[in-house]
């Protein structure tokens, strides 16, 4: 199971998220000390300055980005794990929002070319079977001038880095075992972060997928990074 998770085979990734759905939100809050909520707010704040009426949240999970984007307008939430989507739908209904959710694989999005004003992906691109293929697919769906915002875990820098790195390495295994009952999922988390491109490297990969002016903003000492890039205006 662990080998196929690290190979990021879509079916294994989907099954893993299906197993942890019940404790997913709680584990996020505990592992990040509540900071994940703030990071999604930063993403929402960044999106608010764009003229985006059709917003697609890919890898939406339990819908926390869609919820954070309330004030920006309606967001379509998409994920390939049905139990996650069902949870997102319930949360959106409970919050009095239209449950605009649909099943879809980020590597083969069921949306027309150049049809979306903005795409958000929080803690999702790290799981893509093909990062380049996934970024190209997101670029395909964006309209010219449309914006891509990616929130992803990264490796901490600065004075607190040793403590934060220690927590990112061992916290998931500890809490994952105690709270989620699925040690493999939380064994996978730190390993997938450690082996994933970040900062300038991920910006270069975004540019290679056809996105313009990518930039990265480190959050919380680099525990997470917000990436943004645009699709070029039609020439
Ligand atoms: C770590 S969760 C992030 C959920 C949410 N965005 C958040 O901020 O909490 C990753 C989600 O991405 C989904 N996912 C991973 N790979 C995917 C793919 N290729 N297509 C669609 N969803 C995918 C998983 O099912 C899971 O719900």
């Amino acid at each position: 199971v662990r080998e196929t998770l690290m190979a990021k085979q879509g079916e294994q990734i989907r099954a893993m998220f299906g197993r942890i759905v019940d404790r997913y939100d709680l584990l996020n809050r505990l592992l990040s000390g509540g900071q994940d909520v703030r990071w999604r707010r930063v993403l929402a704040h960044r999106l608010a300055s764009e003229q985006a009426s059709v917003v697609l949240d890919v890898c939406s999970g339990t819908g926390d980005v869609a919820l954070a984007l309330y004030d920006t307008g309606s967001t379509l939430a998409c994920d390939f794990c049905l139990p996650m989507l069902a949870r997102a739908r319930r949360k959106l209904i409970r919050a009095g929002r239209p449950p605009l959710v649909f099943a879809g694989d980020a590597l083969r999005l069921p949306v027309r070319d150049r049809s979306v004003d903005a795409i958000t992906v929080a803690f999702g691109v790290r799981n893509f079977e093909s990062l380049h293929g996934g970024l190209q697919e997101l670029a395909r769906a964006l309209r010219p001038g449309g914006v891509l915002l990616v929130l992803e875990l990264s490796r901490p820098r600065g004075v607190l880095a040793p403590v934060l790195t220690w927590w990112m390495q061992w916290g998931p295994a500890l809490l994952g075992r105690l709270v989620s009952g699925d040690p493999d999922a939380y064994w996978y988390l730190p390993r997938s972060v450690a082996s994933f491109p970040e900062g300038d490297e991920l910006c270069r990969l975004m540019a290679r997928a056809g996105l313009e002016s990518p930039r990265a903003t480190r959050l919380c000492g680099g525990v997470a990074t917000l990436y943004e890039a645009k699709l070029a205006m039609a020439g």
Side-chain angles (χ1 to χ4, degrees):
V1 172
R2 291 178 171 188
E3 268 169 32
T4 46
L5 281 177
M6 282 315 285
K8 297 182 182 167
Q9 290 173 2
E11 196 45 55
Q12 292 291 336
I13 297 284
R14 189 202 329 248
M16 176 189 81
F17 282 107
R19 288 194 301 271
I20 61 174
V21 60
D22 286 341
R23 300 294 165 92
Y24 176 79
D25 289 348
L26 174 64
L27 256 297
N28 272 355
R29 300 302 106 81
L30 291 174
L31 286 169
S32 72
Q35 291 299 300
D36 64 305
V37 177
R38 192 177 71 80
W39 299 333
R40 291 189 198 85
R41 262 195 234 123
V42 172
L43 180 151
H45 183 72
R46 176 64 197 84
L47 188 61
S49 59
E50 296 291 327
Q51 303 289 327
S53 48
V54 182
V55 179
L56 176 62
D57 181 43
V58 174
C59 297
S60 203
T62 61
D64 280 351
V65 172
L67 285 162
L69 293 181
Y70 266 3
D71 301 332
T72 316
S74 291
T75 302
L76 299 162
C78 163
D79 200 287
F80 72 177
C81 175
L82 294 183
M84 281 281 194
L85 268 188
R87 182 61 54 99
R89 189 169 181 281
R90 277 206 298 280
K91 283 166 67 176
L92 286 160
I93 290 172
R94 213 181 307 132
R97 297 287 158 166
L100 303 172
V101 303
F102 65 95
D105 187 335
L107 280 82
R108 286 171 290 274
L109 285 172
V111 302
R112 286 201 312 271
D113 292 0
R114 304 177 161 226
S115 58
V116 178
D117 296 320
I119 295 181
T120 56
V121 194
F123 315 116
V125 297
R126 190 168 22 94
N127 303 298
F128 286 176
E129 218 169 294
S130 158
L131 178 57
H132 181 62
L135 291 173
Q136 277 187 318
E137 178 63 354
L138 301 178
R140 178 194 68 76
L142 278 177
R143 68 152 166 82
V147 64
L148 170 66
L149 292 172
V150 170
L151 191 56
E152 196 43 88
L153 293 173
S154 43
R155 298 182 278 284
R157 310 267 170 88
V159 280
L160 287 179
V163 180
L164 295 171
T165 305
W166 182 89
W167 178 245
M168 286 177 80
Q169 175 73 31
W170 297 108
L174 193 70
L175 289 181
R177 189 172 286 275
L178 288 175
V179 180
S180 88
D182 191 320
D184 284 335
Y186 288 88
W187 171 93
Y188 163 73
L189 175 61
R191 279 158 188 82
S192 64
V193 176
S195 60
F196 192 70
E198 60 172 34
D200 290 347
E201 195 185 349
L202 188 48
C203 286
R204 273 195 295 279
L205 295 174
M206 287 177 148
R208 192 145 69 84
L211 293 151
E212 267 195 344
S213 316
R215 63 190 177 105
T217 308
R218 275 205 296 266
L219 305 171
C220 199
V223 172
T225 301
L226 178 64
Y227 300 89
E228 51 187 283
K230 289 198 172 188
L231 193 71
M233 296 297 283

